[in-house]
Amino acid sequence: MRCDRLWRHARLATFAGPGLGVVEDGALACLNGNILFAGPAGDLPVDLDAAETIDCQGRWITPGLIDPHTHLVHGGDRAHEFELRLAGAGYEEIARAGGGIVSTMAATRAASLDSLVASALPRLDALIAEGVTTTEIKSGYGLCLEHELKSLRAARRLGNLREVRIVTTFLGAHALPPEFAGEGDGYIDTVCREMIPAVAAEGLADAVDAFCEGIGFTPAQTRRVFEAARAHDLPVKLHAEQLSNLHGAALAAEFGALSADHLEHLDEAGVATMARAGTVATLLPGAYYVVRESQKPPIEALRAHGVPIALATDCNPGTSPLTSPLLVMNMAATLFRLTVDECLAGVTREAARALGLAHEIGTLEAGKRCDLAIWDIERPAELVYRLGFNPLHARVFGGRG
Ligand code: DI6
Ligand code: FE
């Protein structure tokens, strides 16, 4: 039997099964971009012959990291708003001065597709530099058909410019654009009747998301968005229970959502509905940190009910200008008390599940894509415990790299 590449003398964290799935003297073989074998070197098929063999010298191999929730494509930044907040300005004051989400909408609408791609590339490269091989990217700063389509096209194009898999999400129901002020239902009509059909017709989105919140959209409006998504065979996910408990997670679960995200204000009943539906809890500790939230997501209840926990950067210009999955893991451990194993599973196996891609990526198992991160570390905990240090040795995408 012949394979394209064989990595030897590696320590593997396979994530096959519930824990890290550690293999001390491990080997991993790749054929045609997929994993042919991952396991103890002693179990390698005796007749296996490799076109190329790589000696890992004891380095650790994990699955390529996955960031399952980002708003990577947007115009402008909000650094000035950050300064205003440090000087004591409140959210409303900033919004009245033309800041907040609407300022990002204006900058996104003003940007050409090319410049949206150009401004997102350094953010994407920052993820890639830490071993990310798949990232989700949402629209949601265009807030009208033309600019939502442009944002999704920019996201798709990013996937052609780099060796990375991009999964796109339509988030038209992110905020109310000023031209619909006071007409939330009218805007949702446009989202459901105009935008979702157009996005679906062009195959521009892999899923549909909404922001169910007092400052976003009501559960009734969110339900309409989900019904429109379902009519176009698009899976859903939800920004839920970030600032208050509107029972968005239960609504998401009712629609079989891939994930419910944020969840600081989620209650136990909501956790139970997520568990029954198999909806992943995607936690976003960067946003928790930046807005200086004090209400933590219900970690104990999520564990008790067996809800899978994923972690993401939520990279966005307002509440999480963060492009480091390594720092996300540290924040999840330090702020939410997740274990090292939970953090690492959160950016690999469970992040894949949150994207509906558990059958393809997220673990080191025969048949999965050969997306790998190879680390200069002595033990996996180093990936979670250090701050601002990147021990990535190599990154492999579809067997290449
Ligand atoms: N929740 C958030 O934290 C971000 N969007 C969302 O739905 C905020 C986005 C922004 O302020 O630009
Ligand atoms: Fe978000």
Side-chain angles (χ1 to χ4, degrees):
M1 203 193 311
R2 191 163 175 81
C3 69
D4 299 324
R5 292 179 107 182
L6 175 64
W7 287 266
R8 302 197 71 127
H9 305 127
R11 288 179 276 181
L12 308 180
T14 65
F15 295 92
L20 292 188
V22 170
V23 179
E24 277 294 335
D25 181 15
L28 190 145
C30 170
L31 180 66
N32 297 331
N34 291 326
I35 296 173
L36 183 67
F37 172 90
D43 291 353
L44 270 172
V46 279
D47 61 340
L48 188 73
D49 179 26
E52 184 189 2
T53 300
I54 297 155
D55 183 351
C56 289
Q57 301 174 325
R59 293 188 180 90
W60 280 85
I61 303 182
T62 67
L65 303 191
I66 300 166
D67 191 346
H69 179 143
T70 86
H71 308 248
L72 212 70
V73 168
H74 58 80
D77 68 68
R78 307 246 286 276
H80 180 57
E81 183 178 314
F82 175 71
E83 287 188 287
L84 292 175
R85 282 210 309 268
L86 288 174
Y91 185 81
E92 288 214 323
E93 200 180 327
I94 289 168
R96 273 199 304 276
I101 211 163
V102 168
S103 74
T104 302
M105 179 207 75
T108 302
R109 287 183 179 179
S112 66
L113 198 160
D114 285 350
S115 72
L116 278 185
V117 170
S119 66
L121 261 182
R123 295 188 278 270
L124 178 60
D125 284 339
L127 297 180
I128 288 172
E130 291 193 0
V132 167
T133 48
T134 296
T135 183
E136 187 247 24
I137 299 180
K138 302 175 195 297
S139 66
Y141 287 112
L143 304 178
C144 66
L145 179 62
E146 176 188 352
H147 298 293
E148 285 292 300
L149 291 177
K150 177 181 69 179
S151 300
L152 291 168
R153 289 189 189 113
R156 285 270 195 248
R157 193 189 289 174
L158 287 165
N160 298 328
L161 294 175
R162 293 291 186 268
E163 295 277 296
V164 67
R165 179 169 180 166
I166 304 285
V167 178
T168 58
T169 301
F170 170 68
L171 177 58
H174 188 196
L176 196 59
E179 60 271 23
F180 279 92
E183 293 176 65
D185 285 331
Y187 179 63
I188 293 297
D189 281 345
T190 308
V191 167
C192 296
R193 293 185 192 150
E194 188 187 350
M195 296 194 211
I196 289 177
V199 164
E202 272 198 59
L204 278 172
D206 302 306
V208 171
D209 192 353
F211 185 29
C212 184
E213 191 55 71
I215 59 166
F217 297 93
T218 65
Q221 291 164 341
T222 302
R223 175 180 291 279
R224 290 178 54 209
V225 173
F226 284 176
E227 281 166 353
R230 181 183 271 171
H232 289 85
D233 286 329
L234 287 167
V236 299
K237 54 178 77 173
L238 190 64
H239 284 70
E241 274 72 280
Q242 181 185 6
L243 307 169
S244 62
N245 185 3
L246 297 184
H247 308 290
L251 176 62
E254 183 190 326
F255 280 80
L258 292 169
S259 68
D261 303 23
H262 284 290
L263 303 176
E264 281 84 344
H265 293 263
L266 179 65
D267 60 20
E268 181 141 10
V271 173
T273 59
M274 288 177 65
R276 280 195 292 276
T279 297
V280 175
T282 298
L283 306 183
L284 310 170
Y288 173 93
Y289 169 85
V290 170
V291 306
R292 305 174 80 215
E293 175 65 67
S294 55
Q295 171 90 25
K296 293 188 197 349
I299 305 295
E300 281 306 334
L302 292 169
R303 283 179 183 140
H305 287 264
V307 175
I309 298 174
L311 297 174
T313 61
D314 193 18
C315 175
N316 77 69
T319 59
S320 193
L322 171 60
T323 47
S324 169
L326 293 173
L327 187 51
V328 166
M329 285 195 281
N330 180 271
M331 287 177 171
T334 304
L335 301 173
F336 298 163
R337 312 313 289 167
L338 259 58
T339 66
V340 163
D341 289 16
E342 285 171 331
C343 288
L344 288 163
V347 297
T348 54
R349 183 182 60 226
E350 308 311 342
R353 202 192 303 270
L355 295 177
L357 294 174
H359 56 296
E360 286 183 47
I361 54 173
T363 67
L364 304 181
E365 292 177 282
K368 298 266 176 100
R369 286 258 313 171
C370 189
D371 291 350
L372 315 175
I374 305 177
W375 307 96
D376 260 322
I377 52 172
E378 277 305 315
R379 53 186 63 76
E382 287 175 51
L383 296 176
V384 180
Y385 129 94
R386 300 186 74 146
L387 290 92
F389 184 78
N390 179 5
L392 188 73
H393 170 73
R395 173 184 172 278
V396 175
F397 181 68
R400 295 184 307 273

